[in-house]
Amino acid sequence: MKRRQIAAIDVGTSKICTVMADTENGDLRILGVGVVASRGMQKGMVVNLNEAKEAIRESVSMAERTAGYKLKSALIGVTGKHINSKNNRGVISITRNDHLVRQSDLQRAIDIASSITMPQDRKVLHIIPRNYSVDGQEGVSNPVGMHGFRLDVETHIITAASNSIENLTKCIRAAGVEIDDLVFNPLASAEAALTDEEREKGVILADIGGGTTDIAAFKGNSIYHTSVLPIAGSQVTHDISVGLGIPFEMADDIKQRYSSVIPGECNDASFVESGHTFSYPDLCEIVRMRVEELLRLTILELPSDDYSKMVPSGLVITGGTANLPGIAELGSEVLRIPVRVGTPPNLFGVSDILNDPACTNVVGMLLWSINNRDASKSHPANEESAKGGFISRMFGNPKN
Ligand SMILES: Nc1ncnc2c1ncn2[C@@H]1O[C@H](COP(=O)(O)OP(=O)(O)OP(=O)(O)O)[C@@H](O)[C@H]1O
Ligand SMILES: [Mg+2]
């Protein structure tokens, strides 16, 4: 297979990250990375088109300089509390004489499962077939060729507010980049941070960024829940800013340099910053309280009270806030499930800067693109996705 170029842009609330790469036979080589502080974004959504466009342009130029070629098109990450999801079922009869399930039957079943009524101001972002059953036999991953009279498919459908998507795509195009696909952030982060075993047993992923916490839960190797909480690292910073009476930027700097939630880490010491003396215990207590609340809210998103049974593999935390020392220990103490920090896998090329939980999402988009292509070969239901993605099919090709 020929090497092909791919790229992804994560337009986050805190940072904008462009990654240019190429890929062959599933491997990934990073050629250029551009990370700049975000502007014009709030809680994952565009609030100032011009500012966001300029910041995106800077990030793209930075990546282009290292890669040595111009970026034409990229995958774009999407988040925000306007995103909703639901599981839906589609059932069809196989009436042909041979009663063998064909590829076209899968598509017919998916189309029925996808026909949800939606207000005009919403668009479908992803339709993910979760699993099939043939004549009541559950858990079939690929029913093509099986004999049956009835085919059921479970799908996970993710929808978004049209105006939020349009604002984001407008900024990307204004920055001179076409859009290959839109990817809901936690799907991408999951691609980079979760193991196959975790997805099989049951796991919840939380990408805790600056403005949003993006959540996805998996079991039996399929996704069954996604959601977005409009609280994340900025709230922690805000609490520090109010609690210690200092400006937001200074609070964010102090948070990143000094705060910790490692149990027993905060002794009575104090530290001096910009001529002010601060107490460690005060800082750590403020951070711990908000992060503890955030972790509890994350797990409450699961559609079951008995969450330890739903997610025996526990919680995987990514996003910039996962850099907070002790966050995994605090999580397992509070939630009583296994908790670990997820980072992108090791990559070839100019990738040092990507070795950070904050970059899980952008790397995950590239892997999502590669894996969806590969999946199309072994999983006929994904054939459409290889031709332009579920999004292009359902949302209308964003390039048009
Ligand atoms: N060492 C650290 N300790 C605590 N928080 C940290 C640390 N390093 C980074 N952060 C926080 O991570 C957040 C940024 O994370 P990230 O880069 O994943 O956000 P984003 O992708 O731009 O935003 P979003 O996904 O919410 O739109 C900021 O709130 C920042 O303060
Ligand atoms: Mg993010």
Side-chain angles (χ1 to χ4, degrees):
M1 198 194 284
K2 216 173 136 268
R3 287 201 90 85
R4 68 178 175 108
Q5 288 172 349
I6 52 172
I9 309 178
D10 173 12
V11 187
T13 313
S14 301
K15 54 134 186 15
I16 296 178
C17 181
T18 303
V19 177
M20 296 166 69
D22 66 13
T23 175
E24 186 182 14
N25 296 329
D27 74 358
L28 191 61
R29 187 172 59 178
I30 306 299
L31 304 172
V33 181
V35 188
V36 302
S38 187
R39 300 194 299 276
M41 297 291 294
Q42 226 172 58
K43 295 191 184 294
M45 290 183 285
V46 178
V47 290
N48 184 321
L49 287 167
N50 267 338
E51 283 188 8
K53 180 190 79 183
E54 283 311 315
I56 293 166
R57 211 198 290 270
E58 277 172 32
S59 161
V60 169
S61 309
M62 197 185 275
E64 286 176 336
R65 277 200 295 277
T66 327
Y69 61 95
K70 194 163 162 35
L71 178 60
K72 289 200 189 84
S73 65
L75 297 138
I76 309 298
V78 181
T79 187
K81 63 179 191 306
H82 62 97
I83 294 180
N84 291 330
S85 68
K86 66 178 286 192
N87 292 326
N88 209 24
R89 211 174 170 90
V91 187
I92 59 155
S93 302
I94 314 285
T95 50
R96 286 182 305 272
N97 287 342
D98 61 6
H99 290 284
L100 292 180
V101 179
R102 294 184 188 167
Q103 169 62 41
S104 56
D105 296 322
L106 301 197
Q107 196 53 56
R108 200 153 53 93
I110 292 169
D111 287 347
I112 289 177
S114 317
S115 54
I116 50 169
T117 39
M118 245 188 341
Q120 273 196 329
D121 58 353
R122 295 198 69 75
K123 296 282 185 193
V124 172
L125 202 55
H126 295 275
I127 294 176
I128 306 165
R130 300 180 51 223
N131 57 59
Y132 299 90
S133 68
V134 180
D135 291 350
Q137 182 195 334
E138 303 261 342
V140 178
S141 60
N142 182 6
V144 171
M146 287 177 79
H147 185 272
F149 292 83
R150 173 193 162 124
L151 174 70
D152 293 46
V153 62
E154 280 275 351
T155 54
H156 186 70
I157 303 176
I158 301 169
T159 66
S162 315
N163 61 346
S164 297
I165 298 292
E166 269 151 30
N167 287 338
L168 180 63
T169 53
K170 212 184 223 176
C171 289
I172 300 286
R173 289 207 192 93
V177 179
E178 288 297 334
I179 297 160
D180 287 330
D181 253 334
L182 302 168
V183 188
F184 182 34
N185 279 353
L187 301 189
S189 299
E191 209 69 52
L194 299 183
T195 65
D196 289 348
E197 193 183 341
E198 284 169 336
R199 285 168 186 255
E200 181 58 40
K201 284 187 176 162
V203 69
I204 178 167
L205 171 125
D207 185 314
I208 313 180
T212 63
T213 295
D214 304 334
I215 296 167
F218 297 79
K219 202 176 184 69
N221 224 353
S222 80
I223 191 160
Y224 65 91
H225 176 80
T226 47
S227 57
V228 177
L229 293 175
I231 10 169
S234 296
Q235 269 68 34
V236 182
T237 304
H238 179 260
D239 290 355
I240 298 171
S241 163
V242 172
L244 302 183
I246 53 175
F248 188 89
E249 280 71 27
M250 187 177 174
D252 203 60
D253 182 50
I254 282 180
K255 177 181 80 172
Q256 294 193 34
R257 285 171 51 210
Y258 297 105
S259 71
S260 154
V261 290
I262 298 173
E265 172 92 336
C266 277
N267 49 31
D268 281 343
S270 54
F271 60 96
V272 179
E273 190 62 36
S274 308
H276 301 275
T277 304
F278 299 102
S279 114
Y280 267 124
D282 287 355
L283 173 68
C284 295
E285 181 62 7
I286 293 169
V287 173
R288 191 188 57 75
M289 276 168 60
R290 180 60 88 165
V291 172
E292 201 176 307
E293 182 204 29
L294 188 47
L295 295 171
R296 285 186 202 279
L297 288 173
T298 296
I299 217 76
L300 281 177
E301 287 290 296
L302 282 174
S304 164
D305 291 341
D306 197 356
Y307 61 78
S308 57
K309 279 217 178 89
M310 302 279 285
V311 288
S313 289
L315 167 69
V316 175
I317 308 172
T318 70
T321 302
N323 283 307
L324 176 65
I327 191 164
E329 292 88 330
L330 177 69
S332 39
E333 190 183 293
V334 170
L335 306 173
R336 303 198 171 280
I337 54 171
V339 180
R340 71 172 179 91
V341 167
T343 42
N346 286 335
L347 298 162
F348 296 108
V350 286
S351 57
D352 304 4
I353 195 173
L354 300 175
N355 186 22
D356 182 318
C359 298
T360 310
N361 182 40
V362 74
V363 172
M365 276 192 262
L366 300 174
L367 298 174
W368 184 89
S369 159
I370 292 168
N371 293 343
N372 271 289
R373 268 186 174 236
D374 293 347
S376 68
K377 288 186 220 128
S378 58
H379 197 311
N382 283 336
E383 236 165 49
E384 281 290 329
S385 135
K387 289 181 202 147
F390 289 116
I391 303 141
S392 308
R393 179 159 58 84
M394 301 309 300
F395 185 71
N397 190 345
K399 282 176 187 165
N400 294 333

